[in-house]
Each structure stands twice: as C-alpha cells, then as structure tokens.
C-alpha cells in the first residue's frame, strides 16, 4: 500500500463523516487541534515525560493505535489543503529522546495550523516518521493499524459515536 491509497481511504472516510454529521463548514482548525490532542494522547501512552513515575509505557498495541489516530488527522489535513503528493513514507532513522520529538512535532503542527504550507506539512510527516522509528513501528505496522482503525471509525459513525 502507498500513500495515495491512504489518502484515498481517508478521503472516503472524511466524505462519509461529513455526510453523516452534515458538516458544511471549514473544519481545518478543528482537525488541527484534534491532531494536537492525538499527539498528546500518544505521548501520554508512552509515558516518556513522566520522570516522576516508575510505571512503564502502555502496551505496544495501545501506543500504535494512538499513533494511528494521528495519521488519520494528518492525512485529512493534507486532503483539505491539497497536499497529497507524498508518494512514500519518509524514512528517518535516528535515535532521539521521545520528549524532544514530541515537542518538535507539536511545534510543527501548531506552525502548520497557523501558516499552512506544503513544506510544513511534509515536516509533520518527517516528525511522525521519526516518532515511528523511535517507537519501533514500521510503515507496514502503521498501514495495518490504520486500516483496522479506519474500519472502526466507520463503525463508530454508523452507531452514532
């Protein structure tokens, strides 16, 4: 699977949600905030910043699901702005401190929300690639989890989530 297929799946889900929820207004900022919230939820599951606690991170599957929740919103934001030229997963394999990566990613997301550009959008993807590498996720892991969560999102819409 490539990014064009992911964009297509996300466009179909976005269209379904807009029709089901009767969304007619621009929801770019809402989706931007949702992405920031999902990033925070991901950080919370890794517990990387909780220096005061001895409890370890959540299970890998929980962290991957939180990671993929973000991917839905990144794709959706790209669709809203027409930034869909991404052809392949940006591979960034560099060991870094997770807290630093989360802060950097949040900074790029916030900058993109206020001043959207394709370069800023691509930087978000690069940050998420760096996160994936440091969390031990492959592109295949992400795609499989995305597909599973995509179907769950449809089911949620059908059941009045």
């Amino acid at each position: 699977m490539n990014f064009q297929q992911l964009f297509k799946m996300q466009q179909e889900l976005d269209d379904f949600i807009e029709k089901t929820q009767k969304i007619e207004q621009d929801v770019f900022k809402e989706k931007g905030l949702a992405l920031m919230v999902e990033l925070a939820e991901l950080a919370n599951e890794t517990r990387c910043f909780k220096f005061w606690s001895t409890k370890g991170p959540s299970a890998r599957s929980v962290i991957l699901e939180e990671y993929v929740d973000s991917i839905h919103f990144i794709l959706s934001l790209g669709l809203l702005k027409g930034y869909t030229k991404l052809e392949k997963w940006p591979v960034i394999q560099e060991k870094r401190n997770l807290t630093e990566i989360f802060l950097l990613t949040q900074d790029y997301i916030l900058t993109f929300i206020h001043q959207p550009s394709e370069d800023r959008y691509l930087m978000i993807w690069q940050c998420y690639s760096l996160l994936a590498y440091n969390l031990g996720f492959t592109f295949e892991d992400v795609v499989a989890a995305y597909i599973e969560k995509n179907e769950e999102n449809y089911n949620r819409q059908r059941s009045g989530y």
Side-chain angles (χ1 to χ4, degrees):
M1 179 168 284
N2 63 36
F3 267 96
Q4 293 311 304
Q5 291 168 305
L6 293 176
F7 278 117
K8 182 178 184 298
M9 288 178 69
Q10 188 62 47
Q11 183 67 67
E12 291 169 356
L13 177 60
D14 288 353
D15 291 347
F16 184 78
I17 291 169
E18 288 174 19
K19 181 179 177 187
T20 302
Q21 300 298 329
K22 298 174 178 60
I23 306 297
E24 296 179 8
Q25 74 273 17
D26 180 4
V27 291
F28 176 78
K29 288 191 177 181
E30 285 78 3
K31 288 182 180 186
L33 178 58
L35 176 56
M36 291 180 66
V37 169
E38 294 299 342
L39 179 67
E41 289 178 4
L42 174 61
N44 195 49
E45 295 299 337
T46 70
R47 301 180 59 82
C48 66
F49 62 93
K50 295 187 177 188
F51 61 87
W52 59 87
S53 177
T54 57
K55 183 179 174 184
S58 294
R60 183 181 191 275
S61 61
V62 172
I63 294 172
L64 179 58
E65 183 176 350
E66 289 298 341
Y67 181 90
V68 168
D69 285 345
S70 292
I71 298 302
H72 279 85
F73 288 107
I74 299 171
L75 289 165
S76 192
L77 288 166
L79 287 163
L80 285 174
K81 294 299 179 186
Y83 304 146
T84 60
K85 295 177 187 169
L86 194 62
E87 293 291 329
K88 63 180 187 159
W89 182 255
V91 178
I92 301 179
Q93 297 180 340
E94 178 185 333
K95 281 292 182 191
R96 301 253 318 253
N97 176 283
L98 277 177
T99 299
E100 291 175 11
I101 301 170
F102 279 112
L103 291 171
L104 179 67
T105 305
Q106 183 161 331
D107 187 43
Y108 277 115
I109 293 168
L110 192 55
T111 301
F112 175 72
I113 292 167
H114 291 297
Q115 300 169 334
S117 73
E118 193 164 15
D119 287 342
R120 289 184 178 106
Y121 180 70
L122 294 175
M123 289 305 298
I124 295 170
W125 277 113
Q126 289 177 1
C127 287
Y128 269 84
S129 174
L130 186 60
L131 270 172
Y133 177 76
N134 281 271
L135 293 170
F137 302 147
T138 65
F139 180 65
E140 292 75 19
D141 294 333
V142 172
V143 168
Y146 174 86
I147 291 169
E148 186 176 322
K149 188 63 181 247
N150 189 274
E151 186 56 38
E152 182 180 327
N153 286 336
Y154 274 107
N155 290 335
R156 286 177 169 180
Q157 288 298 310
R158 291 180 190 113
S159 66
Y161 172 74

